[in-house]
Each structure stands twice: as structure tokens, then as C-alpha cells.
């Protein structure tokens, strides 16, 4: 019975709210963040999409509530204070990002993904309207799972091809983005416009595989190489994030968005495939094995035995931290949930205590960043460790890091990015899959690899998982060394205010001399100093 006067999705949302009230969010597909003022009930309704692709901040003031899709909107109107929330800074230093509902500023909150907020004269109320369930796994056959996955992914891609403007795709050379472009090639009349990023370092470059895929689907393909001179844009990147954000892959994401926007307005990506289908094998495989060992070795033996071994074993930086023997021994001395948090965070508890000064630790009043992620792992309502880890990754790492990065970098170039793997039907389907269809032995994304073998060249389906990373360790010892030093060791900066100077100097020296790879922490401190220069020193 509704009559629409425009073709705008905004009008559809308004009609949905009039029809279903706060339940309207469950009827919407895709990405959104919106506000509705209900004049009759005198209620402000704020909502965010299921996985938080779009941001929404709010701040309670003496005069009511202020909200914006960017903190800079609140700052411009003097609607939020600029004092730092120590819990948010602690989370940033531990994870490299600030999880919802925290923001870097006291009194300003992010609406959580899959939630809505209602504000009335009686106050503010937040409610969850969507969640994943991993406790209804269906033991379907491999062929049935592939058939259902194919149908869901094809339809998810098809829905995201609806566009009145030029449309293309990111092509990384990995399984997820290549599957997306293969379905696009089936559904579009002309060639898919694909865009890929490479680096000037052997081993970090996925361009050769991307070229094979582009040739296979007869794509209109473009490439760009990122060099250390890309530091010229770091200040722009920090400005667009509003909050400190340390994922160094924001740099290549900035460039692939910039390049893609030169020939299209909408781009499809492969985001979400790793989290849903078991792609993070460097974390998941050790975690599964450790969980099995915990069940057979009594804790009265396991905790002191492995704890002492971990304390004595020297640290190594040749492998990713979850794969180091010292990390595994330490993990075995604790619970599944604590071990997962240790693998997800950048700072170990020991390093955190050494790095933070006494005043900063006092201001935290016993808070620990693991408090933010633990509920997603422990509350997954699943019996197996893989499902619990995936639930935490989807609701924490993916929503607070991966999707924030892609949203801010794409919006910086007026590019809309759509992610078929984040279709809620596909997410819910993947949550019902048994672990054997996600990880087998040391290989992840079993189901997607099987699907890739049916649709893509052989070079793609067997590829190991590779992050969209830059050679940060080398750059911080070379081309970015002085730039990083200036922002990390700023005498008036947050790092100097909150961290122990001797420990920080030792970490810097160990990295510069090549004894340890501290690039993750040093990059985060560099970006913190850069953010502070933009948003705190200049008071923009």
C-alpha cells in the first residue's frame, strides 16, 4: 500500500520504518547506517547494518544527542569532547583498531554492528537485531554444499550488480576476489573491469596470479605498483579514519580504491570470505590443535609445564606469532578463549605491562582489551574451537578492522564497494557448515577451493592465504625510518605520555638492528602520532 515518488533507497527505508518500526532492519539487505526521527512517538531511531559496513557515531550532550557517520562531523559542531578514552587507546595499541562501542574520545560511542539505538525522553536504549548461530551445523554432503554455495554466491553477486553507474571489481589474486569476478563475468554482458595492486618486493606480489585470472575471464584489467613514496599520502589516510587506525594494508587499499575510481564508481570485493569459510589457517590450524591437546592433558599438568617452557623459550620473529613455538607453548598454558585473544592481539600481556607506564595502567582501572573480544568467542554457542574463532573474527576483527579500512579508503575516493560474501544469507549458510568443509589438515577454505577448481585456472585454487600487506618491516628500517621516528618519539605525543620511554627505545633499536621484527607495533605508534598531529595538535 505504499506509494513511492522517487527511486531512492532512502524513501524505501522510511516506508519500512513506518510499516515495521524497529523491526525494519531485519527486512533490509546490504549495507546501511541511518537515522529516523519519529515525530509522533518523539523517538530518534539510529541503526547500523548487520556487519557494520557503514559507521554511525553518537554523543550524548547537555542538550540531547548528536550523531554522525564521522567523528569529524561531531567535532566540527563542538558536539563531542577531545579527551582521550584510555580504554580505547589500550585497545588500539593491542589490536590496531578501536572496537565498538568505544571511540577514541570519551563520551562518543559507535553503534555496534547489527544493533539499533532508540533515544527518547526516558534515555537511550540499544538492542541487537541480528546475530550468527554456529550451533546448527548441518552434515550435508560435499556436492550439496558446493551447489548451495554456488547458488547463494551467484545471487549475492547478481544483486550487487544493480547499478546506474560504471561498475568493476578488486582482483587480488586470492580465491575470494577471483570467485567474485568469475561470477561477474557470467552475469555481465561486457568484460569485467578489474583492478590489482602490487609491491616492489619479490614474494609480496600477487599480480602474476591476478593476470592469469583476468586473462581467463577476459577482463579489462589494470594494475598499479605501491612504493615507499606512498608515505606521502599517510596524512590523508589518517584524516579519513577519524580515529587511530594501524592496519598497514590501508595504504594499498587507498591506492586500489584511487585507481579503481578512475574508471568505475562501484566495485565488488572479496571481503568476508576468509572469516566465513576458514581462511586464516595460520591462526585457525594451531588453535584447533591446541584445543585438542587441552582436552587430553589435565590443566594441573598443562598450565605449569607449558607456562614454564614458554617463559624459558627464546622469542623468534621468523614466523608469524601464532606459529612460533613460544606462542604455542604459552597458549597451551591457558584456556581456548584466552589463547585466541593472545593470537588476535598484537601486544602480549607481558609486553603490555612493560610498555605501559604506571600512570597509564592506573588510568585503565583494571581494564584489559581482551574484555572486548572474549564475549564473541565464549558466547558463540558452538562446541568446536573453529566456529568460536570464526564468530569472534566476524564480529570483531572483520567488522572493526577489515570493513572499516575498506569503507574509509573507498569513501575517500567516492567509490562504493560492495561485498557479496557479506550477504547475510551467505554468512548464515557458512555458519551451518561443519568444520571439515572449511579446514582440512593445514588447508583452509576447503569448500571455496573446490568451487574455484570448477571455475578458475589451477594456479588459483591451490594458492595459500596471503594478506594484503606491505613490506612494512623493511620500509621502517629504510625509506620510512626518519618519518616514523619523528611521529613515534614526539616529545609531546601520546606515546611519550603513556609508554615507558626506555622500553620503547629498546623496541625501536631491536627493529632497526634487525634483531626482531617490531613493525606492527612501530607502524601503529607511527599512525597514532600522525593521527594526534592532525586531530589533537591542530584542533581542526
Amino acid at each position: 500500500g505504499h506509494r513511492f515518488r522517487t527511486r531512492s533507497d532512502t524513501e524505501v527505508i522510511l516506508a519500512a520504518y513506518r510499516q515495521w518500526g524497529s523491526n525494519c532492519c531485519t527486512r533490509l539487505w546490504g549495507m546501511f547506517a541511518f537515522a529516523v526521527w519519529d515525530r509522533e512517538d518523539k523517538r530518534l531511531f539510529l541503526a547500523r547494518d548487520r556487519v557494520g559496513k557503514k559507521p554511525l557515531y553518537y554523543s550524548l550532550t547537555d542538550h540531547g544527542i548528536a550523531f554522525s557517520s564521522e567523528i569529524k562531523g561531531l567535532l566540527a559542531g563542538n558536539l563531542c569532547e577531545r579527551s582521550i578514552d584510555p580504554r580505547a587507546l589500550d585497545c588500539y595499541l593491542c589490536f590496531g583498531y578501536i572496537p565498538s562501542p568505544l571511540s577514541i574520545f570519551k563520551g562518543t560511542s559507535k553503534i555496534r554492528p547489527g544493533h539499533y539505538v532508540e533515544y527518547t525522553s526516558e534515555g537511550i536504549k540499544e538492542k541487537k537485531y541480528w546475530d550468527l548461530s554456529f550451533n546448527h551445523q548441518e552434515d550435508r554432503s560435499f556436492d550439496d554444499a558446493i551447489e548451495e554455495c554456488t547458488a547463494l554466491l551467484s545471487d549475492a553477486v547478481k544483486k550487487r550488480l544493480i547499478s546506474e553507474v560504471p561498475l568493476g571489481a578488486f582482483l587480488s589474486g586470492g580465491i575470494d576476489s577471483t570467485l567474485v569476478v568469475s561470477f561477474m563475468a557470467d552475469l555481465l554482458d561486457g568484460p569485467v573491469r578489474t583492478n590489482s595492486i602490487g609491491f616492489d618486493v619479490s614474494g609480496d606480489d600477487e599480480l602474476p596470479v591476478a593476470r592469469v585470472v583476468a586473462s581467463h575471464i577476459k577482463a579489462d584489467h589494470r594494475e598499479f605498483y605501491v612504493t615507499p613514496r606512498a608515505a606521502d599520502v599517510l596524512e590523508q589516510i589518517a584524516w579519513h579514519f577519524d580515529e587511530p587506525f594501524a592496519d598497514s594494508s590501508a595504504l594499498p587499499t587507498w591506492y586500489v580504491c584511487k585507481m579503481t575510481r578512475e574508471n568505475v564508481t562501484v566495485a565488488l570485493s572479496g571481503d568476508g570470505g576468509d572469516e566465513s569459510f576458514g581462511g586464516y589457517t595460520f591462526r585457525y590450524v594451531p588453535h584447533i590443535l591446541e584445543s585438542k591437546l587441552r582436552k587430553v592433558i589435565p590443566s594441573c599438568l598443562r598450565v605449569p609445564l607449558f607456562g614454564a617452557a614458554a617463559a624459558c623459550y627464546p622469542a623468534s620473529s621468523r614466523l608469524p606469532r601464532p606459529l612460533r613455538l613460544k606462542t604455542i607453548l604459552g597458549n597451551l598454558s591457558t584456556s581456548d578463549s584466552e589463547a585466541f585473544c593472545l593470537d588476535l592481539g598484537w601486544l602480549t600481556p607481558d609486553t603490555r605491562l612493560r610498555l605501559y607506564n604506571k600512570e597509564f595502567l592506573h588510568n585503565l582501572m583494571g581494564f584489559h582489551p581482551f574484555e572486548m573480544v572474549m564475549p564473541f568467542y565464549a558466547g558463540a554457542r558452538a562446541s568446536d574451537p573453529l566456529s568460536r574463532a570464526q564468530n569472534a573474527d566476524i564480529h570483531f576483527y572483520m567488522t572493526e578492522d577489515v570493513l572499516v579500512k575498506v569503507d574509509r579508503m573507498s569513501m575517500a575516493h567516492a567509490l562504493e564497494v560492495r561485498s557479496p560474501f557479506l550477504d547475510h544469507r551467505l554468512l548464515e549458510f557458512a555458519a551451518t557448515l561443519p568444520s571439515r568443509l572449511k579446514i582440512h589438515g593445514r588447508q583452509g577454505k576447503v569448500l571455496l577451493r573446490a568451487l574455484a577448481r570448477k571455475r578458475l585456472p589451477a594456479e588459483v585454487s591451490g594458492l595459500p592465504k596471503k594478506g594484503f600487506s606491505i613490506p612494512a618491516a623493511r620500509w621502517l628500517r629504510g625509506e620510512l625510518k626518519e618519518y616514523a621516528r619523528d611521529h613515534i618519539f614526539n616529545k609531546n605525543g601520546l606515546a611519550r605520555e603513556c609508554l615507558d620511554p626506555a622500553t620503547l627505545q629498546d623496541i625501536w633499536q631491536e627493529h632497526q638492528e634487525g634483531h626482531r621484527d617490531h613493525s606492527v607495533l612501530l607502524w601503529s605508534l607511527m599512525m597514532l602520532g600522525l593521527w594526534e598531529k592532525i586531530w589533537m595538535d591542530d584542533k581542526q
Side-chain angles (χ1 to χ4, degrees), residues 11 104 116 181 348 395 467 481 493 537:
E11 188 181 6
I104 189 61
Y116 65 78
V181 298
T348 64
H395 288 93
K481 179 179 178 180
D537 294 349

Side-chain angles (χ1 to χ4, degrees), residues 190-208:
V192 183
R193 297 177 180 179
T194 55
N195 301 269
S196 300
I197 285 287
F199 303 98
D200 62 341
V201 177
S202 177
D204 288 323
D205 195 356
E206 290 188 343
L207 287 180

Side-chain angles (χ1 to χ4, degrees), residues 401-420:
D401 182 315
V402 177
L403 301 187
V404 171
K405 171 187 65 182
V406 174
D407 176 72
R408 306 306 193 272
M409 296 297 89
S410 59
M411 289 290 95
H413 296 95
L415 177 72
E416 179 182 336
V417 176
R418 302 173 180 176
S419 307

Side-chain angles (χ1 to χ4, degrees), residues 118-119 205 264 289 306 368 396 402 444 458 466 487:
E118 292 180 312
Y119 179 76
D205 195 356
V264 299
L289 295 175
F306 291 112
H368 196 288
F396 194 80
V402 177
K466 289 184 68 175
H487 289 90

Side-chain angles (χ1 to χ4, degrees), residues 310-358:
C312 297
Y313 200 84
S316 169
S317 59
R318 296 181 181 276
L319 292 171
R321 192 157 63 84
L323 299 180
R324 299 173 193 169
L325 183 57
K326 183 179 181 67
T327 302
I328 294 172
L329 291 171
N331 286 352
L332 287 172
S333 68
T334 186
S335 65
D336 279 14
S337 56
E338 290 175 345
F340 176 81
C341 291
L342 286 168
D343 289 343
L344 191 63
W346 294 353
L347 286 181
T348 64
D350 290 343
T351 304
R352 178 175 174 268
L353 290 176
R354 284 193 301 112
L355 185 60
Y356 293 178
N357 62 34
K358 292 181 180 179

Side-chain angles (χ1 to χ4, degrees), residues 453-512:
R453 284 194 291 271
K454 292 175 174 286
R455 304 181 57 85
L456 297 165
E459 296 96 314
V460 176
S461 61
L463 282 174
K465 164 66 184 170
K466 289 184 68 175
F468 197 32
S469 58
I470 64 171
R474 196 195 72 180
W475 287 4
L476 288 168
R477 293 188 184 108
E479 297 89 339
L480 287 179
K481 179 179 178 180
E482 296 306 317
Y483 185 87
R485 188 205 301 272
D486 290 344
H487 289 90
I488 293 172
F489 293 97
N490 177 3
K491 64 180 181 180
N492 297 317
L494 282 170
R496 180 65 65 93
E497 182 180 331
C498 300
L499 307 182
D500 177 69
T503 303
L504 182 56
Q505 184 62 45
D506 288 345
I507 289 172
W508 172 265
Q509 205 60 35
E510 284 180 352
H511 183 83
Q512 296 305 325

Side-chain angles (χ1 to χ4, degrees), residues 99-119:
S100 307
L102 299 177
S103 84
I104 189 61
F105 295 123
K106 288 180 182 178
T108 298
S109 301
K110 294 192 279 274
I111 294 179
R112 306 170 203 252
H115 285 67
Y116 65 78
V117 162
E118 292 180 312
Y119 179 76

